[in-house]
Amino acid sequence: MTQLPASTDCKMGLVIDLDTCVGCHACVISCKGWNTENYGAPLSDQNPYGADPSGTFLNRVHSFEVQPKDGAAQLIHFPKSCLHCEDAPCVTVCPTGASYKRVEDGIVLVNEDNCIGCGLCAWSCPYGARELDAAAGVMKKCTLCVDRIYNENLPEEDRIPSCVRTCPSGARHFGDLGDPDSAVSQLVAARGGMDLMPEMGTRPVNKYLPPRPKDQMIGEIDVLAPLLAPVAEEATGFLAWLDKTLEKI
Amino acid sequence: MHPAPSVILFSTLSGLGFGLLFWLGLGQPAVTGGVAFALFAIAYVLAVGGLLASTFHLGHPERAMKAFTQWRTSWLSREGWAAVIALLVMAVFGAGLVFLATRWSVVGVVGALISLGTVFTTSMIYTQLKTVPRWHMPMTPVMFLSISLAGGALLAGQTRWATGLLALAGIVQVAHWMLGDRAFATSGTTMATATGLGEIGQVRAFEPPHTGSNYLLREMVYVVGRKHSTKLRVISLILMVVLPIVLLMLPFGHMIAAVAVVSHLAGVAASRWLFFAEAEHVVGLYYGKR
């Protein structure tokens, strides 16, 4: 059913820390690996070893350069996957009911057996979170690893999305963003977590933590600096003789 | 957006087909028997042909019937319903005209309105998308409806109505282009809001996520043909509006009418190609392509 639930029991989602992401793309690879072997149709590649490779990914890492008014430019790596929006436009536009938002945890999923591959949900998503698989002809999207997070066959530490489990820099966090006391909600509150394209009115569940302000070099570096006399600018002794001789040549 | 030939064919043909059904439903022209059969056949070929063409771009056309289930929220589903109901009601009305030489005018008017409603639902599939500012404005349904009404009047041989409606469609089309050219800039969505990094400074795409292309870039960051857009707009306007109006001023003949309809159809197809090719999706911001 493509009517959005009025409310969900909890709001499972990700918190992505743009301050600590190092842009290694490990989350991209682990996501592709897990999701091509598990839930739904595999994430196909077209011409993977040819001149123009292309494929379906549920998570991609962009890199942006931000130039502040003063100071050096900053490079910010920017992982992007489905934000599991509360007002998910991709769900309501679906003509078949294949797209839906779960009442129990707020995860936005695609029932691939009902998907006709019209692509309208991908058009309606401002974030580019949905990709039509060229081989399967159905829409693929992040499932928040719904087949991991409740999977009692996995050790407890693995019951988190594959991208979160893999991230070597701790830039990805998983939890209930509907519970103000959860670790992720506290992180969002402490670090000023933000929505992407809030003007679209999608109310994303996933939050992004902005990069922390960079240290500024203001005035003298250290109180002892003046005592550290610079190297003599005028050469003496042998070097002075060498300098003069070389000048003459 | 990627201008898929099947979708362009669909909206061009079915727009004209449902436009013709609108005029037939109103009894303009008041035909019965064989002539009615011929006109209804043309309308159904256009409308149904367009609908069939639209299934060609689906990943799973064999599941197309499932698209009737979600009319509560989905304009695409509503379009399916509107099209089927319009075609059924007009079939009853047409059967009366063709076989019984009887006009059930209430059925005709209802069928005419639902036919027009179908064109409206088509336009709303695009208008509803906040992600494509060029489409997300009231002028989009106005454009679809005015072109459909004008094309229908032309095909129904309603010369007097056709001239005025074609001129109106031309004006609406130009207005849609002019408003559309400003839509992205005034939508308020920028790389700063897309990344949330605008508070720090000027955001620039440094590296894309991958070296090759992907579905998003092919489908929504289509940029081919933009450099010719002004020329194509002029060609589209001449074929869609100017040439048919000139031809309508000549003494009426079936050949001239046929040329006017073909010219109009080619013009609408060019306009629809531009409708997709020029549409900028906000996801392009993440790729620094806006």
Side-chain angles (χ1 to χ4, degrees):
Chain A
M1 188 53 74
T2 54
Q3 274 171 308
L4 287 165
S7 67
T8 55
D9 298 345
C10 55
K11 300 175 189 171
M12 301 313 285
L14 300 176
V15 173
I16 294 170
D17 191 343
L18 297 178
D19 196 61
T20 43
C21 174
V22 294
C24 69
H25 292 242
C27 54
V28 178
I29 303 306
S30 76
C31 166
K32 177 107 173 175
W34 177 266
N35 286 293
T36 212
E37 290 166 6
N38 293 283
Y39 181 98
L43 303 170
S44 72
D45 290 317
Q46 280 67 46
N47 201 12
Y49 305 106
D52 186 21
S54 170
T56 310
F57 286 81
L58 310 183
N59 177 32
R60 295 183 186 264
V61 179
H62 295 252
S63 295
F64 297 107
E65 187 186 71
V66 185
Q67 178 63 62
K69 215 173 246 165
D70 307 305
Q74 299 175 21
L75 186 61
I76 293 158
H77 303 293
F78 196 95
K80 188 163 59 60
S81 54
C82 174
L83 307 177
H84 298 279
C85 302
E86 289 187 59
D87 274 338
C90 55
V91 170
T92 52
V93 298
C94 177
T96 67
S99 258
Y100 62 106
K101 186 170 175 70
R102 296 183 3 145
V103 180
E104 59 268 42
D105 50 17
I107 298 178
V108 176
L109 284 178
V110 175
N111 175 354
E112 293 175 6
D113 292 338
N114 278 346
C115 177
I116 56 173
C118 67
L120 193 56
C121 56
W123 286 13
S124 75
C125 172
Y127 310 108
R130 289 172 167 242
E131 300 188 16
L132 189 74
D133 188 83
V138 295
M139 198 54 70
K140 300 296 296 185
K141 70 175 295 299
C142 163
T143 67
L144 212 61
C145 283
V146 71
D147 48 357
R148 285 176 70 98
I149 57 178
Y150 304 114
N151 191 337
E152 291 180 1
N153 295 317
L154 296 176
E156 203 168 340
E157 64 269 28
D158 284 337
R159 291 180 209 158
I160 54 175
S162 182
C163 56
V164 179
R165 186 78 179 93
T166 301
C167 180
S169 66
R172 306 182 70 101
H173 307 270
F174 167 70
D176 179 7
L177 287 142
D179 171 9
D181 298 326
S182 70
V184 281
S185 292
Q186 287 177 359
L187 190 59
V188 169
R191 293 276 308 281
M194 58 186 181
D195 290 348
L196 304 185
M197 289 192 202
E199 71 279 5
M200 285 281 162
T202 52
R203 296 197 295 145
V205 168
N206 284 14
K207 303 289 178 208
Y208 281 76
L209 305 180
R212 294 181 175 92
K214 297 287 176 204
D215 293 339
Q216 298 288 330
M217 296 270 229
I218 304 163
E220 60 185 38
I221 296 165
D222 193 286
V223 286
L224 296 175
L227 301 175
L228 298 167
V231 178
E233 282 166 22
E234 286 297 316
T236 54
F238 171 72
L239 286 175
W241 171 81
L242 187 67
D243 186 41
K244 245 186 277 173
T245 313
L246 287 172
E247 290 270 333
K248 283 180 192 161
I249 298 171
Chain B
M1 307 296 283
H2 170 63
S6 61
V7 178
I8 293 171
L9 206 62
F10 154 65
S11 87
T12 306
L13 295 182
S14 73
L16 186 61
F18 284 110
L20 176 56
L21 283 176
F22 170 79
W23 290 98
L24 290 173
L26 294 186
Q28 310 277 344
V31 285
T32 52
V35 184
F37 182 79
L39 280 171
F40 270 88
I42 293 171
Y44 273 77
V45 165
L46 290 170
V48 177
L51 289 171
L52 284 179
S54 74
T55 62
F56 293 159
H57 84 286
L58 299 180
H60 283 276
E62 77 280 6
R63 300 175 187 161
M65 292 302 281
K66 295 191 182 205
F68 287 101
T69 59
Q70 303 301 315
W71 51 271
R72 285 183 197 82
T73 64
S74 168
W75 279 105
L76 183 50
S77 187
R78 287 170 197 165
E79 183 204 35
W81 275 107
V84 167
I85 294 171
L87 290 172
L88 288 176
V89 172
M90 287 306 288
V92 172
F93 179 65
L97 290 179
V98 173
F99 302 113
L100 305 171
T102 316
R103 178 173 316 114
W104 296 309
S105 31
V106 175
V107 179
V109 170
V110 169
L113 291 178
I114 303 174
S115 296
L116 214 54
T118 308
V119 177
F120 176 72
T121 55
T122 305
S123 70
M124 282 309 291
I125 295 172
Y126 307 108
T127 309
Q128 67 177 338
L129 296 173
K130 278 188 196 164
T131 50
V132 185
R134 187 183 282 277
W135 294 347
H136 187 63
M137 52 184 181
M139 196 51 97
T140 302
V142 175
M143 195 256 289
F144 272 72
L145 287 169
S146 66
I147 289 178
S148 177
L149 281 174
L154 182 65
L155 201 51
Q158 300 303 299
T159 321
R160 213 149 39 100
W161 279 104
T163 311
L165 285 169
L166 281 168
L168 178 69
I171 293 166
V172 169
Q173 174 69 82
V174 171
H176 191 270
W177 282 329
M178 288 171 68
L179 290 173
D181 288 345
R182 287 203 297 266
F184 203 103
T186 54
S187 73
T189 300
T190 59
M191 279 186 82
T193 68
T195 60
L197 299 172
E199 301 234 328
I200 303 173
Q202 189 70 33
V203 186
R204 178 173 87 85
F206 183 78
E207 247 177 352
H210 40 80
T211 52
S213 189
N214 69 14
Y215 169 76
L216 301 170
L217 290 169
R218 286 190 298 270
E219 184 77 6
M220 284 167 260
V221 196
Y222 186 85
V223 289
V224 180
R226 294 252 179 88
K227 62 180 173 177
H228 296 306
S229 73
T230 312
K231 280 183 205 164
L232 279 167
R233 284 179 181 186
V234 173
I235 291 170
S236 159
L237 212 55
I238 289 173
L239 289 174
M240 180 168 75
V241 174
V242 179
L243 196 58
I245 289 181
V246 170
L247 289 169
L248 284 177
M249 288 174 181
L250 300 175
F252 184 80
H254 275 105
M255 265 319 282
I256 289 176
V259 173
V261 168
V262 170
S263 164
H264 173 76
L265 208 52
V268 177
S271 150
R272 289 293 145 83
W273 189 86
L274 284 167
F275 181 74
F276 289 97
E278 288 191 298
E280 308 97 337
H281 194 288
V282 295
V283 75
L285 290 168
Y286 289 108
Y287 290 86
K289 294 277 172 67
R290 292 290 176 244

